[in-house]
């Protein structure tokens, strides 16, 4: 009976995967002893699958699970550091900073307007010929 269920599960699994997954060739299932190894061809992740009460139950491989847990721990520490003030939160700029920024912008605008006036004066002295 167990062999029949396992054989039926292996034959129907690709059909179920094709119905659920848009990319039917994404996963590859290989039998290894009393369990199956599922390879995700897109990400390279491997899962170990076993038949439990007529259903195929998959879990991450031990080394991938450890890497997954390490990444979660690293990200949790990073979030904690950011929440505890790792990011500098500043108030509004001081009056001196605002004045300095405005004076820089004024110089830039005066320079730009000077270039525009030069181009206009040059255009007035050397008009382009009318081709119409």
């Amino acid at each position: 009976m167990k062999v029949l269920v396992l054989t039926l599960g292996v034959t129907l699994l690709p059909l179920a995967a094709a119905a659920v997954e848009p990319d039917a060739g994404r996963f590859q299932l290989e039998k290894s002893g009393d369990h199956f190894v599922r390879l995700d061809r897109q990400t390279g992740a491997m899962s170990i699958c076993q038949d439990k009460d007529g259903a195929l139950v998959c879990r991450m491989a031990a080394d991938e699970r450890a890497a997954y847990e390490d990444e979660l721990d690293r990200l949790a520490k990073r979030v904690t550091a950011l929440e505890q003030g790792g990011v500098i939160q500043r108030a509004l700029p001081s009056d001196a900073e605002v004045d300095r920024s405005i004076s820089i912008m004024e110089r830039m605008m005066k320079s730009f307007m000077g270039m525009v006036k030069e181009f206009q004066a040059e255009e007035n002295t050397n008009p382009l010929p009318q081709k119409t």
Side-chain angles (χ1 to χ4, degrees), residues 54-117:
L56 203 58
V57 178
C58 299
R59 58 181 170 77
M60 284 186 194
D63 57 338
E64 288 183 13
R65 183 69 182 181
Y68 177 74
E69 293 292 333
D70 289 344
E71 181 69 8
L72 282 178
D73 290 342
R74 185 186 69 79
L75 291 173
K77 288 176 185 173
R78 183 175 174 193
V79 167
T80 303
L82 290 172
E83 287 175 346
Q84 291 177 351
V87 176
I88 298 173
Q89 296 179 358
R90 295 190 54 186
L92 295 174
S94 67
D95 288 342
E97 291 172 323
V98 171
D99 290 341
R100 183 173 180 269
S101 298
I102 289 174
S103 68
I104 291 170
M105 290 180 68
E106 283 175 342
R107 283 194 313 242
M108 182 189 72
M109 289 302 292
K110 285 179 183 177
S111 175
F112 177 75
M113 293 309 286
M115 287 190 287
V116 168
K117 286 179 184 176

Side-chain angles (χ1 to χ4, degrees), residues 30 52 106:
E30 295 289 328
K52 293 197 178 184
E106 283 175 342

